[in-house]
Amino acid sequence: MGINDNGFIRGLVGPLVNRKVGNKNLLQSRPYRVKQTEDTKRAGKDFGNVSRAGALIRMCLSLIHQELHDGQMGNRLNRQLYRALKTNLDRPKGLRTLNTCALDRLVNFQFNENCHMHDYLFIDPVVSVNENNELNISFPEFESSSALVVHKKCNAIVFKFHAFAFDFEMSDFIEIKDTEWEYDIIHKEHTIPAKSLTIECADYAGKSIVVGFTILYLYKDSRRSTVLNEIDCNPASILAAFQA
């Protein structure tokens, strides 16, 4: 119903909405509610599951990305999670879960797409999971001068790893391990020795395991260490993701 207000029409008249803005009378099409199909509703549930999982991963791996990520990181991670969710073929749309999907589709996700890990580290750690659900991460010996790109003020680096077990259906998580290796690279020809790390995952059967990896660049003097990572120099990625 429309109302004449001193020459101005307010309210709804047929398919039009009348509004007074200043000294003008504006007409707009009447808004209408779009009826969702059952397929759209099911897809919405899947997107909701993905969004909650993405928020959980971003929160847990904050020590890895340090909030030094690109502006679309959240959307990019959700898209990657949705690709993983679609491998859950045993359940129909709307009932799919990340707990039983091909979670390895998250491997090599870059938290800052402007700082790809492969542009800063030219050797690949070997990642494997044995029958006892032990995750092993092995680095070969390498020369820092040829295999690393570092901040110009950097005289030490830290390889940092953070592992979590997730139950995405319950929006729950458990920290498994937070570990790091530090090496001084004052001499540019410094050889970094081979190194291996084992993360025990046997106690997390049925959980989704996600391991974040980053390189911290340090400037060390006689008094303290300063982290040099910044928005345009912060390689950080998902190194491993699997169902335990």
Short mmCIF file of all heavy atoms in Angstrom, two decimals, residues 86-140:
data_model
loop_
_atom_site.label_atom_id
_atom_site.label_comp_id
_atom_site.label_asym_id
_atom_site.label_seq_id
_atom_site.Cartn_x
_atom_site.Cartn_y
_atom_site.Cartn_z
N LYS A 86 34.95 -32.65 -2.56
CA LYS A 86 34.24 -33.31 -3.66
C LYS A 86 34.76 -34.72 -3.94
O LYS A 86 34.14 -35.47 -4.68
CB LYS A 86 34.30 -32.45 -4.92
CG LYS A 86 33.45 -31.19 -4.81
CD LYS A 86 33.26 -30.48 -6.14
CE LYS A 86 34.53 -29.84 -6.62
NZ LYS A 86 34.29 -29.00 -7.83
N THR A 87 35.90 -35.09 -3.32
CA THR A 87 36.39 -36.46 -3.47
C THR A 87 35.69 -37.41 -2.53
O THR A 87 35.89 -38.62 -2.60
CB THR A 87 37.92 -36.53 -3.22
OG1 THR A 87 38.18 -36.23 -1.84
CG2 THR A 87 38.67 -35.55 -4.11
N ASN A 88 34.86 -36.89 -1.63
CA ASN A 88 34.10 -37.71 -0.68
C ASN A 88 32.88 -38.28 -1.41
O ASN A 88 31.75 -37.82 -1.24
CB ASN A 88 33.70 -36.85 0.52
CG ASN A 88 33.08 -37.63 1.65
OD1 ASN A 88 32.58 -37.05 2.59
ND2 ASN A 88 33.11 -38.95 1.58
N LEU A 89 33.10 -39.30 -2.24
CA LEU A 89 32.08 -39.81 -3.14
C LEU A 89 31.08 -40.74 -2.47
O LEU A 89 30.05 -41.08 -3.06
CB LEU A 89 32.75 -40.55 -4.32
CG LEU A 89 33.74 -39.72 -5.15
CD1 LEU A 89 34.35 -40.59 -6.24
CD2 LEU A 89 33.06 -38.50 -5.75
N ASP A 90 31.36 -41.15 -1.25
CA ASP A 90 30.47 -42.08 -0.55
C ASP A 90 29.24 -41.37 0.03
O ASP A 90 28.30 -42.05 0.46
CB ASP A 90 31.21 -42.80 0.58
CG ASP A 90 32.30 -43.72 0.05
OD1 ASP A 90 32.16 -44.17 -1.10
OD2 ASP A 90 33.27 -43.97 0.78
N ARG A 91 29.27 -40.05 0.06
CA ARG A 91 28.14 -39.31 0.62
C ARG A 91 27.57 -38.36 -0.43
O ARG A 91 28.30 -37.83 -1.27
CB ARG A 91 28.58 -38.49 1.84
CG ARG A 91 28.99 -39.32 3.04
CD ARG A 91 29.11 -38.43 4.27
NE ARG A 91 29.56 -39.16 5.45
CZ ARG A 91 29.58 -38.64 6.67
NH1 ARG A 91 29.18 -37.38 6.87
NH2 ARG A 91 29.99 -39.34 7.70
N PRO A 92 26.26 -38.12 -0.39
CA PRO A 92 25.66 -37.19 -1.34
C PRO A 92 25.99 -35.74 -0.99
O PRO A 92 26.42 -35.44 0.13
CB PRO A 92 24.16 -37.45 -1.19
CG PRO A 92 24.01 -37.93 0.22
CD PRO A 92 25.26 -38.73 0.51
N LYS A 93 25.79 -34.86 -1.95
CA LYS A 93 26.01 -33.44 -1.71
C LYS A 93 25.17 -32.99 -0.52
O LYS A 93 24.03 -33.36 -0.36
CB LYS A 93 25.60 -32.64 -2.96
CG LYS A 93 25.92 -31.16 -2.89
CD LYS A 93 25.41 -30.42 -4.12
CE LYS A 93 26.12 -30.84 -5.37
NZ LYS A 93 25.71 -30.00 -6.53
N GLY A 94 25.76 -32.19 0.34
CA GLY A 94 25.09 -31.72 1.54
C GLY A 94 25.44 -32.53 2.77
O GLY A 94 25.28 -32.07 3.90
N LEU A 95 25.95 -33.77 2.55
CA LEU A 95 26.33 -34.64 3.66
C LEU A 95 27.81 -35.02 3.58
O LEU A 95 28.28 -35.86 4.35
CB LEU A 95 25.47 -35.91 3.68
CG LEU A 95 23.98 -35.71 3.92
CD1 LEU A 95 23.23 -37.03 3.79
CD2 LEU A 95 23.73 -35.09 5.29
N ARG A 96 28.54 -34.40 2.67
CA ARG A 96 29.94 -34.74 2.50
C ARG A 96 30.77 -34.16 3.64
O ARG A 96 30.42 -33.14 4.22
CB ARG A 96 30.44 -34.23 1.14
CG ARG A 96 29.76 -34.94 -0.02
CD ARG A 96 30.25 -34.48 -1.36
NE ARG A 96 29.93 -33.09 -1.65
CZ ARG A 96 29.95 -32.57 -2.87
NH1 ARG A 96 30.28 -33.33 -3.92
NH2 ARG A 96 29.67 -31.30 -3.07
N THR A 97 31.87 -34.85 3.94
CA THR A 97 32.70 -34.43 5.06
C THR A 97 34.17 -34.42 4.67
O THR A 97 34.62 -35.27 3.89
CB THR A 97 32.51 -35.35 6.28
OG1 THR A 97 33.46 -35.01 7.28
CG2 THR A 97 32.69 -36.82 5.92
N LEU A 98 34.92 -33.49 5.23
CA LEU A 98 36.35 -33.43 4.99
C LEU A 98 37.10 -34.51 5.75
O LEU A 98 38.27 -34.77 5.47
CB LEU A 98 36.89 -32.05 5.39
CG LEU A 98 36.52 -30.91 4.44
CD1 LEU A 98 36.70 -29.56 5.13
CD2 LEU A 98 37.38 -30.97 3.18
N ASN A 99 36.43 -35.15 6.71
CA ASN A 99 37.09 -36.18 7.50
C ASN A 99 37.42 -37.43 6.69
O ASN A 99 38.25 -38.24 7.11
CB ASN A 99 36.22 -36.58 8.70
CG ASN A 99 36.29 -35.54 9.82
OD1 ASN A 99 37.07 -34.61 9.77
ND2 ASN A 99 35.45 -35.72 10.83
N THR A 100 36.75 -37.62 5.55
CA THR A 100 36.97 -38.83 4.74
C THR A 100 37.23 -38.48 3.28
O THR A 100 36.90 -39.25 2.39
CB THR A 100 35.76 -39.78 4.84
OG1 THR A 100 34.56 -39.06 4.48
CG2 THR A 100 35.60 -40.33 6.25
N CYS A 101 37.85 -37.34 3.05
CA CYS A 101 38.13 -36.93 1.67
C CYS A 101 39.61 -37.12 1.35
O CYS A 101 40.40 -37.53 2.21
CB CYS A 101 37.72 -35.48 1.47
SG CYS A 101 38.85 -34.31 2.26
N ALA A 102 40.00 -36.83 0.11
CA ALA A 102 41.41 -36.87 -0.30
C ALA A 102 42.07 -35.58 0.16
O ALA A 102 42.22 -34.62 -0.60
CB ALA A 102 41.52 -37.05 -1.80
N LEU A 103 42.47 -35.56 1.42
CA LEU A 103 42.97 -34.32 2.03
C LEU A 103 44.30 -33.88 1.43
O LEU A 103 44.68 -32.71 1.56
CB LEU A 103 43.11 -34.52 3.54
CG LEU A 103 43.06 -33.26 4.40
CD1 LEU A 103 41.72 -32.56 4.30
CD2 LEU A 103 43.39 -33.58 5.85
N ASP A 104 45.01 -34.79 0.74
CA ASP A 104 46.29 -34.41 0.17
C ASP A 104 46.16 -33.37 -0.94
O ASP A 104 47.16 -32.83 -1.41
CB ASP A 104 47.06 -35.64 -0.32
CG ASP A 104 46.31 -36.43 -1.38
OD1 ASP A 104 45.16 -36.07 -1.70
OD2 ASP A 104 46.87 -37.43 -1.87
N ARG A 105 44.94 -33.07 -1.33
CA ARG A 105 44.74 -31.98 -2.30
C ARG A 105 45.08 -30.61 -1.71
O ARG A 105 45.14 -29.62 -2.42
CB ARG A 105 43.30 -31.99 -2.82
CG ARG A 105 42.99 -33.20 -3.69
CD ARG A 105 41.72 -33.03 -4.49
NE ARG A 105 41.58 -34.11 -5.47
CZ ARG A 105 40.72 -34.09 -6.48
NH1 ARG A 105 39.92 -33.04 -6.63
NH2 ARG A 105 40.65 -35.09 -7.32
N LEU A 106 45.29 -30.57 -0.39
CA LEU A 106 45.71 -29.31 0.24
C LEU A 106 47.22 -29.12 0.21
O LEU A 106 47.71 -28.01 0.47
CB LEU A 106 45.25 -29.28 1.71
CG LEU A 106 43.76 -29.32 1.99
CD1 LEU A 106 43.52 -29.22 3.49
CD2 LEU A 106 43.03 -28.21 1.27
N VAL A 107 47.96 -30.18 -0.11
CA VAL A 107 49.43 -30.11 -0.09
C VAL A 107 49.92 -29.06 -1.08
O VAL A 107 49.43 -28.97 -2.21
CB VAL A 107 50.04 -31.48 -0.41
CG1 VAL A 107 51.56 -31.36 -0.59
CG2 VAL A 107 49.72 -32.47 0.70
N ASN A 108 50.86 -28.26 -0.65
CA ASN A 108 51.48 -27.19 -1.43
C ASN A 108 50.59 -25.95 -1.53
O ASN A 108 50.86 -25.07 -2.35
CB ASN A 108 51.88 -27.66 -2.84
CG ASN A 108 52.99 -26.83 -3.42
OD1 ASN A 108 53.88 -26.36 -2.72
ND2 ASN A 108 52.96 -26.63 -4.72
N PHE A 109 49.52 -25.89 -0.72
CA PHE A 109 48.75 -24.64 -0.67
C PHE A 109 49.65 -23.55 -0.11
O PHE A 109 50.32 -23.72 0.90
CB PHE A 109 47.52 -24.79 0.21
CG PHE A 109 46.77 -23.50 0.40
CD1 PHE A 109 45.90 -23.04 -0.57
CD2 PHE A 109 46.97 -22.72 1.54
CE1 PHE A 109 45.22 -21.83 -0.41
CE2 PHE A 109 46.31 -21.51 1.70
CZ PHE A 109 45.44 -21.07 0.72
N GLN A 110 49.68 -22.39 -0.79
CA GLN A 110 50.53 -21.27 -0.38
C GLN A 110 49.69 -20.23 0.36
O GLN A 110 48.70 -19.73 -0.17
CB GLN A 110 51.17 -20.61 -1.61
CG GLN A 110 51.94 -21.58 -2.49
CD GLN A 110 53.15 -22.16 -1.80
OE1 GLN A 110 53.93 -21.44 -1.18
NE2 GLN A 110 53.33 -23.48 -1.91
N PHE A 111 50.07 -19.92 1.59
CA PHE A 111 49.32 -18.94 2.36
C PHE A 111 49.50 -17.53 1.80
O PHE A 111 48.62 -16.68 1.97
CB PHE A 111 49.74 -18.98 3.83
CG PHE A 111 49.24 -20.19 4.55
CD1 PHE A 111 50.06 -21.28 4.77
CD2 PHE A 111 47.92 -20.25 4.98
CE1 PHE A 111 49.59 -22.41 5.42
CE2 PHE A 111 47.44 -21.37 5.64
CZ PHE A 111 48.27 -22.46 5.86
N ASN A 112 50.60 -17.28 1.14
CA ASN A 112 50.80 -16.00 0.46
C ASN A 112 51.16 -16.31 -0.99
O ASN A 112 52.29 -16.74 -1.26
CB ASN A 112 51.90 -15.17 1.13
CG ASN A 112 51.94 -13.73 0.63
OD1 ASN A 112 51.54 -13.45 -0.49
ND2 ASN A 112 52.41 -12.83 1.46
N GLU A 113 50.22 -16.12 -1.90
CA GLU A 113 50.47 -16.51 -3.28
C GLU A 113 51.53 -15.64 -3.94
O GLU A 113 52.04 -15.97 -5.02
CB GLU A 113 49.17 -16.45 -4.10
CG GLU A 113 48.54 -15.09 -4.24
CD GLU A 113 47.30 -15.13 -5.11
OE1 GLU A 113 47.04 -16.19 -5.71
OE2 GLU A 113 46.60 -14.11 -5.21
N ASN A 114 51.90 -14.51 -3.30
CA ASN A 114 52.97 -13.67 -3.82
C ASN A 114 54.34 -14.12 -3.35
O ASN A 114 55.36 -13.55 -3.76
CB ASN A 114 52.74 -12.21 -3.40
CG ASN A 114 51.41 -11.68 -3.89
OD1 ASN A 114 51.03 -11.89 -5.03
ND2 ASN A 114 50.68 -10.99 -3.02
N CYS A 115 54.38 -15.11 -2.45
CA CYS A 115 55.64 -15.64 -1.91
C CYS A 115 55.59 -17.16 -1.96
O CYS A 115 55.49 -17.82 -0.91
CB CYS A 115 55.86 -15.16 -0.47
SG CYS A 115 55.95 -13.39 -0.26
N HIS A 116 55.64 -17.72 -3.14
CA HIS A 116 55.56 -19.17 -3.29
C HIS A 116 56.81 -19.82 -2.71
O HIS A 116 57.93 -19.38 -2.96
CB HIS A 116 55.40 -19.53 -4.76
CG HIS A 116 54.88 -20.90 -5.00
ND1 HIS A 116 55.61 -22.04 -4.69
CD2 HIS A 116 53.70 -21.34 -5.51
CE1 HIS A 116 54.90 -23.11 -5.00
NE2 HIS A 116 53.75 -22.71 -5.50
N MET A 117 56.62 -20.87 -1.92
CA MET A 117 57.75 -21.55 -1.30
C MET A 117 58.79 -21.99 -2.33
O MET A 117 60.00 -21.94 -2.06
CB MET A 117 57.24 -22.77 -0.52
CG MET A 117 58.31 -23.53 0.24
SD MET A 117 59.08 -22.58 1.59
CE MET A 117 57.72 -22.56 2.78
N HIS A 118 58.35 -22.39 -3.52
CA HIS A 118 59.28 -22.86 -4.53
C HIS A 118 60.15 -21.74 -5.11
O HIS A 118 61.14 -22.02 -5.79
CB HIS A 118 58.51 -23.54 -5.67
CG HIS A 118 57.89 -24.83 -5.28
ND1 HIS A 118 57.01 -25.53 -6.06
CD2 HIS A 118 58.03 -25.57 -4.13
CE1 HIS A 118 56.63 -26.63 -5.45
NE2 HIS A 118 57.24 -26.67 -4.27
N ASP A 119 59.80 -20.50 -4.84
CA ASP A 119 60.63 -19.38 -5.28
C ASP A 119 61.68 -18.99 -4.23
O ASP A 119 62.51 -18.12 -4.49
CB ASP A 119 59.76 -18.15 -5.59
CG ASP A 119 58.87 -18.38 -6.80
OD1 ASP A 119 59.27 -19.14 -7.69
OD2 ASP A 119 57.75 -17.80 -6.84
N TYR A 120 61.61 -19.62 -3.06
CA TYR A 120 62.52 -19.31 -1.97
C TYR A 120 63.36 -20.50 -1.53
O TYR A 120 64.43 -20.32 -0.95
CB TYR A 120 61.75 -18.76 -0.77
CG TYR A 120 61.17 -17.39 -1.00
CD1 TYR A 120 60.01 -17.21 -1.74
CD2 TYR A 120 61.82 -16.25 -0.51
CE1 TYR A 120 59.49 -15.94 -1.98
CE2 TYR A 120 61.31 -14.99 -0.74
CZ TYR A 120 60.15 -14.83 -1.48
OH TYR A 120 59.66 -13.58 -1.72
N LEU A 121 62.86 -21.71 -1.78
CA LEU A 121 63.56 -22.93 -1.40
C LEU A 121 63.58 -23.86 -2.61
O LEU A 121 62.52 -24.26 -3.11
CB LEU A 121 62.85 -23.60 -0.22
CG LEU A 121 63.45 -24.92 0.28
CD1 LEU A 121 64.85 -24.69 0.85
CD2 LEU A 121 62.55 -25.55 1.33
N PHE A 122 64.80 -24.21 -3.08
CA PHE A 122 64.92 -24.94 -4.34
C PHE A 122 65.18 -26.43 -4.17
O PHE A 122 65.48 -27.12 -5.14
CB PHE A 122 66.02 -24.31 -5.20
CG PHE A 122 65.81 -22.84 -5.45
CD1 PHE A 122 66.88 -21.97 -5.48
CD2 PHE A 122 64.53 -22.32 -5.62
CE1 PHE A 122 66.68 -20.61 -5.70
CE2 PHE A 122 64.32 -20.97 -5.82
CZ PHE A 122 65.40 -20.11 -5.86
N ILE A 123 65.07 -26.92 -2.95
CA ILE A 123 65.09 -28.37 -2.72
C ILE A 123 63.76 -28.74 -2.08
O ILE A 123 63.15 -27.93 -1.37
CB ILE A 123 66.29 -28.80 -1.85
CG1 ILE A 123 66.29 -28.04 -0.49
CG2 ILE A 123 67.59 -28.56 -2.57
CD1 ILE A 123 65.74 -28.82 0.64
N ASP A 124 63.31 -29.95 -2.34
CA ASP A 124 62.02 -30.40 -1.81
C ASP A 124 62.22 -31.39 -0.69
O ASP A 124 62.90 -32.42 -0.87
CB ASP A 124 61.18 -31.06 -2.91
CG ASP A 124 60.73 -30.07 -3.96
OD1 ASP A 124 60.45 -28.92 -3.59
OD2 ASP A 124 60.66 -30.45 -5.15
N PRO A 125 61.67 -31.14 0.48
CA PRO A 125 61.71 -32.15 1.54
C PRO A 125 60.90 -33.38 1.11
O PRO A 125 59.89 -33.26 0.41
CB PRO A 125 61.06 -31.45 2.73
CG PRO A 125 60.21 -30.38 2.13
CD PRO A 125 60.91 -29.94 0.88
N VAL A 126 61.37 -34.53 1.50
CA VAL A 126 60.65 -35.78 1.21
C VAL A 126 59.72 -36.07 2.37
O VAL A 126 60.15 -36.18 3.52
CB VAL A 126 61.64 -36.95 1.00
CG1 VAL A 126 60.88 -38.26 0.77
CG2 VAL A 126 62.57 -36.66 -0.16
N VAL A 127 58.43 -36.19 2.06
CA VAL A 127 57.41 -36.41 3.09
C VAL A 127 56.79 -37.78 2.88
O VAL A 127 56.35 -38.11 1.77
CB VAL A 127 56.32 -35.31 3.03
CG1 VAL A 127 55.28 -35.54 4.12
CG2 VAL A 127 56.94 -33.93 3.15
N SER A 128 56.75 -38.58 3.93
CA SER A 128 56.17 -39.92 3.82
C SER A 128 55.47 -40.30 5.12
O SER A 128 55.78 -39.78 6.19
CB SER A 128 57.26 -40.95 3.50
OG SER A 128 58.24 -40.99 4.53
N VAL A 129 54.50 -41.21 4.98
CA VAL A 129 53.76 -41.73 6.14
C VAL A 129 53.86 -43.26 6.10
O VAL A 129 53.54 -43.88 5.09
CB VAL A 129 52.27 -41.31 6.09
CG1 VAL A 129 51.54 -41.81 7.33
CG2 VAL A 129 52.13 -39.80 5.98
N ASN A 130 54.33 -43.86 7.20
CA ASN A 130 54.46 -45.31 7.21
C ASN A 130 53.21 -45.98 7.76
O ASN A 130 52.23 -45.31 8.11
CB ASN A 130 55.71 -45.75 7.97
CG ASN A 130 55.66 -45.38 9.45
OD1 ASN A 130 54.59 -45.19 10.03
ND2 ASN A 130 56.83 -45.29 10.08
N GLU A 131 53.28 -47.32 7.88
CA GLU A 131 52.09 -48.08 8.31
C GLU A 131 51.72 -47.81 9.76
O GLU A 131 50.59 -48.11 10.18
CB GLU A 131 52.33 -49.59 8.11
CG GLU A 131 53.42 -50.19 8.96
CD GLU A 131 54.82 -50.02 8.35
OE1 GLU A 131 54.92 -49.32 7.31
OE2 GLU A 131 55.78 -50.58 8.90
N ASN A 132 52.63 -47.24 10.51
CA ASN A 132 52.34 -46.90 11.91
C ASN A 132 51.86 -45.46 12.07
O ASN A 132 51.82 -44.94 13.19
CB ASN A 132 53.59 -47.12 12.76
CG ASN A 132 54.03 -48.57 12.80
OD1 ASN A 132 53.20 -49.47 12.88
ND2 ASN A 132 55.33 -48.80 12.71
N ASN A 133 51.51 -44.85 10.97
CA ASN A 133 51.05 -43.46 10.96
C ASN A 133 52.10 -42.51 11.55
O ASN A 133 51.78 -41.56 12.27
CB ASN A 133 49.73 -43.30 11.72
CG ASN A 133 48.52 -43.45 10.81
OD1 ASN A 133 48.63 -43.26 9.59
ND2 ASN A 133 47.39 -43.79 11.38
N GLU A 134 53.36 -42.76 11.22
CA GLU A 134 54.44 -41.85 11.55
C GLU A 134 54.76 -41.01 10.32
O GLU A 134 55.04 -41.56 9.25
CB GLU A 134 55.69 -42.61 11.99
CG GLU A 134 55.53 -43.38 13.28
CD GLU A 134 56.74 -44.24 13.58
OE1 GLU A 134 57.43 -44.65 12.63
OE2 GLU A 134 56.99 -44.49 14.78
N LEU A 135 54.68 -39.72 10.46
CA LEU A 135 54.99 -38.81 9.37
C LEU A 135 56.47 -38.45 9.44
O LEU A 135 56.95 -37.97 10.47
CB LEU A 135 54.14 -37.54 9.48
CG LEU A 135 54.46 -36.41 8.48
CD1 LEU A 135 54.12 -36.84 7.07
CD2 LEU A 135 53.71 -35.14 8.86
N ASN A 136 57.19 -38.71 8.36
CA ASN A 136 58.61 -38.40 8.31
C ASN A 136 58.87 -37.30 7.28
O ASN A 136 58.39 -37.39 6.15
CB ASN A 136 59.43 -39.65 7.97
CG ASN A 136 60.93 -39.38 8.02
OD1 ASN A 136 61.57 -39.19 7.00
ND2 ASN A 136 61.48 -39.38 9.23
N ILE A 137 59.61 -36.28 7.70
CA ILE A 137 59.99 -35.17 6.81
C ILE A 137 61.51 -35.15 6.76
O ILE A 137 62.17 -34.98 7.79
CB ILE A 137 59.46 -33.83 7.34
CG1 ILE A 137 57.94 -33.89 7.53
CG2 ILE A 137 59.83 -32.69 6.39
CD1 ILE A 137 57.38 -32.71 8.31
N SER A 138 62.07 -35.35 5.56
CA SER A 138 63.52 -35.44 5.41
C SER A 138 64.03 -34.39 4.44
O SER A 138 63.49 -34.23 3.33
CB SER A 138 63.92 -36.83 4.90
OG SER A 138 63.56 -37.83 5.82
N PHE A 139 65.08 -33.69 4.85
CA PHE A 139 65.78 -32.72 4.00
C PHE A 139 67.16 -33.28 3.65
O PHE A 139 67.88 -33.76 4.53
CB PHE A 139 65.97 -31.39 4.73
CG PHE A 139 64.75 -30.54 4.79
CD1 PHE A 139 63.72 -30.83 5.69
CD2 PHE A 139 64.60 -29.43 3.97
CE1 PHE A 139 62.59 -30.05 5.76
CE2 PHE A 139 63.48 -28.64 4.04
CZ PHE A 139 62.47 -28.94 4.92
N PRO A 140 67.56 -33.19 2.38
CA PRO A 140 68.92 -33.59 2.03
C PRO A 140 69.91 -32.49 2.43
O PRO A 140 69.51 -31.37 2.74
CB PRO A 140 68.85 -33.71 0.50
CG PRO A 140 67.83 -32.68 0.11
CD PRO A 140 66.79 -32.71 1.21
#
